[in-house]
Amino acid sequence: MLKISELSEKTGLSAHTLRYYEKHGLINASNRSEAGYRFYTDSDVRRVQFVKTARNTGFSLEDIGQLLSIRVDKLSHSCQEVTDITRKKLVEVNAKLTELQSMQQTLELLLESCCGGPENATHCSIMEALDAGLLLDKKIAARTEQGGAAK
Amino acid sequence: MLKISELSEKTGLSAHTLRYYEKHGLINASNRSEAGYRFYTDSDVRRVQFVKTARNTGFSLEDIGQLLSIRVDKLSHSCQEVTDITRKKLVEVNAKLTELQSMQQTLELLLESCCGGPENATHCSIMEALDAGLLLDKKIAARTEQGGAAK
DNA sequence: TATAAGCTTAGAGTTAACTCTAAGGTCAAC
DNA sequence: GTTGACCTTAGAGTTAACTCTAAGCTTATA
Ligand SMILES: [Zn+2]
Ligand SMILES: [Zn+2]
Ligand SMILES: [Zn+2]
Ligand SMILES: [Zn+2]
């Protein structure tokens, strides 16, 4: 039986966060002391660790709520339900990834194009590109079209 | 001279958003009608488009504020200031990218491991992995160690 | 027994970037 | 001269996941 601070230390989640998760129905302390202190059983701890692992994997607290309801009654739920949640998350992650990769490429091109020196920015190609609506893309397209095979 | 709805249409930013940007010091309408209606000059429009482009590139409104103050007085600012802002953003983007790639890999592995079928989830390997704290990683590590060269 | 550390709750604050609402003034058209 | 679309402002609401505060018990230690 762990007190909240002990569970906090064990899981790396703050006591605040643990109470927050409880308020949102994700976890619970099986027992309370007479004074109302939370006491967590091993089973409680495992559930918290499940939440933490799912959180690290990118699932939202809402997703985790669904996963937890499957977890407590596996007989009434199917693998498909689990993969639906997982696949939905993967789709989200992939979308963000695509967006970020595009940003990354743009930022790298911008950095390549600018001298980064101490002279004034009247000639700065980053400012120019932002002013021109990033026709960097067009430059790349042109380069690719012309150059043929990359490298 | 464009009214706000016209600028909105031209830029794809809502009038709400344009007023929001103004309130936060990013843009401005050079003129107002007697009744107080905003009127935007070509120069205003270019500034708004700069903001939009920078936003699409991933810069925060705060970053954009800095870029704009460079933009209006390029003589007093250096290319280095511009690359500092850009590089800082790239570092952030790379960090998020790393995190998301790790999530992506985990989610893909989870999906591979689960049958996704309609039977009950008592044997679900996704649930098992989440319960076990994702020792998938360990499986991968083991596989990599053993297998040597990939593919 | 007193001090400090730790626990409780309800509820407010944080962050970023919007997004929307309310209450009212303006303008073009019919 | 009255609709209806558009404009104004100030300010509230949204989202997610915390994070913190206040006010007040409880518990262990000295
Ligand atoms: Zn330069
Ligand atoms: Zn430059
Ligand atoms: Zn299965
Ligand atoms: Zn399964």
Side-chain angles (χ1 to χ4, degrees):
Chain A
M1 296 287 237
L2 303 179
K3 278 191 294 185
I4 198 165
S5 61
E6 293 164 332
L7 178 59
S8 168
E9 199 164 339
K10 188 155 196 161
T11 59
L13 301 169
S14 76
H16 278 306
T17 297
L18 291 168
R19 290 191 204 99
Y20 175 82
Y21 285 173
E22 179 181 309
K23 184 156 56 172
H24 287 72
L26 298 181
I27 65 172
N28 198 45
S30 294
N31 302 292
R32 292 273 185 141
S33 75
E34 287 190 7
Y37 284 29
R38 290 167 177 82
F39 282 114
Y40 296 92
T41 64
D42 285 356
S43 164
D44 295 336
V45 173
R46 284 192 298 274
R47 184 168 168 122
V48 172
Q49 279 163 341
F50 179 97
V51 171
K52 194 194 176 189
T53 300
R55 199 76 198 74
N56 289 341
T57 307
F59 290 108
S60 68
L61 298 191
E62 194 186 335
D63 293 334
I64 295 172
Q66 293 179 49
L67 291 171
L68 285 168
S69 56
I70 294 174
R71 184 176 183 267
V72 295
D73 185 10
K74 294 200 175 89
L75 278 169
S76 307
H77 296 277
S78 64
C79 271
Q80 198 185 340
E81 290 175 69
V82 179
T83 53
D84 282 352
I85 296 168
T86 308
R87 206 182 312 279
K88 183 175 129 280
K89 191 74 224 172
L90 179 58
V91 168
E92 283 175 36
V93 166
N94 282 336
K96 274 196 190 162
L97 223 31
T98 299
E99 195 188 343
L100 281 172
Q101 276 159 353
S102 152
M103 286 179 187
Q104 185 194 41
Q105 193 197 19
T106 302
L107 290 167
E108 281 174 352
L109 281 168
L110 287 174
L111 283 172
E112 270 176 39
S113 76
C114 171
C115 76
E119 334 82 71
N120 74 61
T122 49
H123 72 287
C124 181
S125 46
I126 293 181
M127 297 307 281
E128 278 169 19
L130 292 174
D131 258 326
L134 280 187
L135 30 95
L136 282 176
D137 301 342
K138 290 177 191 159
K139 284 184 192 162
I140 297 159
R143 201 188 299 164
T144 307
E145 272 171 40
Q146 265 218 327
K151 180 53 211 286
Chain B
M1 294 288 234
L2 303 179
K3 278 192 295 186
I4 197 165
S5 62
E6 294 164 333
L7 179 59
S8 168
E9 200 164 337
K10 188 154 196 162
T11 59
L13 301 169
S14 76
H16 278 306
T17 297
L18 291 168
R19 290 192 202 96
Y20 175 82
Y21 284 174
E22 179 181 310
K23 184 156 55 172
H24 287 72
L26 297 181
I27 65 172
N28 198 45
S30 293
N31 301 292
R32 293 274 185 141
S33 75
E34 287 190 6
Y37 284 29
R38 290 169 178 81
F39 283 114
Y40 297 92
T41 64
D42 284 357
S43 163
D44 293 337
V45 174
R46 283 192 297 275
R47 185 169 168 121
V48 171
Q49 279 163 342
F50 178 96
V51 171
K52 194 192 176 191
T53 301
R55 200 75 199 75
N56 288 341
T57 308
F59 290 108
S60 68
L61 299 190
E62 193 186 337
D63 294 334
I64 294 172
Q66 294 180 47
L67 291 171
L68 284 169
S69 55
I70 294 174
R71 185 175 181 270
V72 295
D73 185 10
K74 295 201 175 86
L75 278 168
S76 306
H77 296 279
S78 64
C79 271
Q80 197 185 341
E81 289 175 68
V82 179
T83 53
D84 281 352
I85 295 169
T86 308
R87 206 181 311 280
K88 183 174 129 280
K89 190 76 223 170
L90 179 57
V91 168
E92 283 175 35
V93 166
N94 282 337
K96 274 196 190 163
L97 224 30
T98 299
E99 194 188 344
L100 281 172
Q101 276 159 352
S102 152
M103 286 179 187
Q104 184 194 43
Q105 193 196 21
T106 302
L107 290 167
E108 280 174 353
L109 282 169
L110 287 174
L111 283 171
E112 269 176 41
S113 77
C114 172
C115 75
E119 334 81 72
N120 76 60
T122 48
H123 71 288
C124 181
S125 47
I126 293 181
M127 298 306 284
E128 277 170 19
L130 291 174
D131 258 325
L134 283 186
L135 31 95
L136 282 175
D137 301 342
K138 290 177 192 159
K139 284 184 191 163
I140 296 159
R143 201 189 297 165
T144 307
E145 272 170 40
Q146 265 217 325
K151 182 50 207 288

